[in-house]
Amino acid sequence: MTESALGLSIASHSGLPPASIGALAAAAERAGFAAVAVAEGHGDALSLCHPVAAATRRVRIGTAIANAALRPPVLTAKTAAQLDQASGGRFTLGLGVGNPVMNGRFGIEPFPPLAMIEEYVAVVRAVLAGEAAGHAGRVYRTGMVPLDSPPVRPDLPIYLGALGPRMLGLAARIADGVILNLMAPAQAGQAAGAVRAAAAAAGRDPASVEVVCVVHCCLSGDAGAAAAAARDVVPRYVLHPAVAPLFGPQDAGGDLPAVRERLLAGDRAGATARVPQPVADAFVAHGDAETCRSRLADYRAAGVDLPVLFPMPVGGDWGYQAAIAAFGTDEEATPSVKNL
């Protein structure tokens, strides 16, 4: 991975059809992006990785992230094996545990997230490795699970989305990488340091755990429109229980509880209006390409191995084509994505 490597995340909640998501992935590959991930909103990130795999040849692909709570781990292992086969060994399984509010809406009862995801990863690895004993744990118990064909990589990489210190420590111990999110560069640097220290304490090479950070981006030459779009990103996450410590330093005015209240009342516009600009400024890169490029450099300087650009809509336009053109490393490659 080069020092300038950059990933692109495509949101399932952009509403784009699978063929268009594949076309964007192909354009990103031509433009020199190192990785293309699918972010799971209310769609199925794993399913949407199939058109990404079919449309690309070299770029790393994966989920950033998929909600593990929605899928039994055996099914996830089978799907991951098929995606790795379809992509010729380029798939990375990025997993998270969702949040209690959304999981409750999906009919999922509360669960201890650390114990669940640790055993979940163990089950996925047992299935891919063809372990005859399966997995016998407190959360999951399986027998030997046969696959229709041998996995391309029985040890395909598994990354964990992590925001808090305990999940960061778990990722350092059991995962191949960690996916950070909703963090300012300084926060991401602290998290990266914590992951590397925990990996070393567990007897692992700290460099063996890749630190990825999703960087939300509102790209626009209109600074005011970009700043407003950045504020509109915050209500997407404000119900997550980990947001309080992440956004706490910017919450001195007490506006985030009001944002949550308006959002729960169904008033998205009212929620956005109550977002303090410093909260959005902390974790959303916004403005013109030069400004956003400088912010990406801040994440690298803080210790992030791979920033993953996550375009957010400005004035209703998700701006994928503009982002690919602005941040691609291959100047001779001109993204061409029609009929999106």
Side-chain angles (χ1 to χ4, degrees), residues 178-189:
V178 61
I179 302 173
L180 310 177
N181 197 358
L182 309 177
M183 294 185 183
Q187 291 171 309

Side-chain angles (χ1 to χ4, degrees), residues 134-157:
H135 175 82
R138 293 187 175 182
V139 182
Y140 299 106
R141 299 182 66 86
T142 76
M144 193 276 185
V145 179
L147 298 174
D148 290 332
S149 59
V152 173
R153 293 180 299 170
D155 59 347
L156 72 82

Side-chain angles (χ1 to χ4, degrees), residues 33-96:
F33 280 77
V36 175
V38 178
E40 188 163 270
H42 299 298
D44 184 345
L46 286 165
S47 292
L48 290 173
C49 282
H50 280 288
V52 174
T56 58
R57 296 293 177 268
R58 301 179 305 278
V59 73
R60 293 164 56 185
I61 71 171
T63 52
I65 55 177
N67 185 353
L70 289 172
R71 306 165 174 91
V74 170
L75 175 61
T76 295
K78 291 183 175 186
T79 305
Q82 291 178 334
L83 284 165
D84 208 39
Q85 184 179 61
S87 63
R90 294 182 287 124
F91 180 70
T92 295
L93 178 61
L95 296 171

